[in-house]
Structures are given as C-alpha cells and as structure tokens.
Amino acid sequence: MPHPKGAHMFREMRLKKQQLSEAETLEILKSCTSGVLAVAGDDDYPYAVPLSFAFEDGKLYFHFARTGHKLDAVARNDRVSFCVIQKDTVVAEAFTTYYRSAIAFGRIRVHTGDDEKRHALECLARKYSAAYIDRAPAEIEREWKNVRTAELTIEHLTGKAASELLS
C-alpha cells in the first residue's frame, strides 16, 4: 500500500533477533566518537563521509567546514543517514565478525543562528574535550568564522549486533 505524500516508511530489520533495544542503540550513539554520514551527493552518487559527532537532546550534532560537498548535498536534500560502529571484532577462525552498530535516519539542518551554532559546538566540546572545557569558549571564538554546524533530527533508529553477542 502506498504511503501518503510526506509520510516515511522505513524497512523493518530482516534479522529481528539481532536487533538491539532502543536503550542499547542510544548507548552506541552516546559512547562512540565517530560515524559515517551518508548524503545524496553529486550526480546521484551517494556520498558517505566519516565525522565526529555529539548526541544530546535526542539529536546528533556535527561541525563542517564553511563550504564543501556535504553542505552542497544537504542543501539539495536534507534526508540523510548516519552509521556508527561500536564494535568490529574479526573472528577469523569462525569466518565472522562480532559487531554492534547503529544507523540513524532523519533530516539534517544546517544552523543559521548563532545560539544554535554555539550550542552544537558546546555539545561537541563537552564530548571530546571535557577535561579542557574551561578552554572551550576561547576555542569556539577562535574557530567561529571557519566552521558551520548542523543537527540531525532522528526519524528512525536501528541497532544491530552479531548474534554471538546477544544473550
């Protein structure tokens, strides 16, 4: 059955027994330090780029250069996915990999206001430089003109793990 215009349908996970709970999936977003943002790139080629990120308030926050492929792509199409791999242990003798990962699907929005830009940069500073947070305001001011920020509002989130890691 077709879905109404504007409504989104996301595929259900095929191997449901490997699906992580929402709490386990959110823990992956909170604990990991990098992921891969996938956008609709130039000439319909997918463009997937590794990025640092922060997860706060149920949203993912990123920082970008002032111009570039990512910004051009999200200006054309704000629908993106973001994949985070928490565990990736190759078990050669078993011809398998023990993995845990999460994928967020949603809409990304580049910040235009100073307050939301500052909030995103503060979220990133808390995550990556917590021990030096007193120096964050000066660093934010130093880089202010060179950086753009964005937030991904999650519409669908899935987590998956190798069956060997599940109880």
Side-chain angles (χ1 to χ4, degrees), residues 54-106:
F55 176 72
E56 281 193 22
D57 313 316
K59 296 183 180 189
L60 293 163
Y61 295 95
F62 307 97
H63 66 91
F64 302 156
R66 288 194 52 76
T67 61
H69 197 163
K70 290 183 299 292
L71 285 170
D72 293 346
V74 301
R76 284 191 308 268
N77 184 346
D78 66 347
R79 290 179 175 96
V80 300
S81 67
F82 188 69
C83 177
V84 178
I85 300 170
Q86 183 185 52
K87 183 177 183 65
D88 181 29
T89 305
V90 174
V91 184
E93 66 276 13
F95 295 87
T96 194
T97 302
Y98 292 173
Y99 63 88
R100 285 173 61 91
S101 62
I103 302 177
F105 298 86

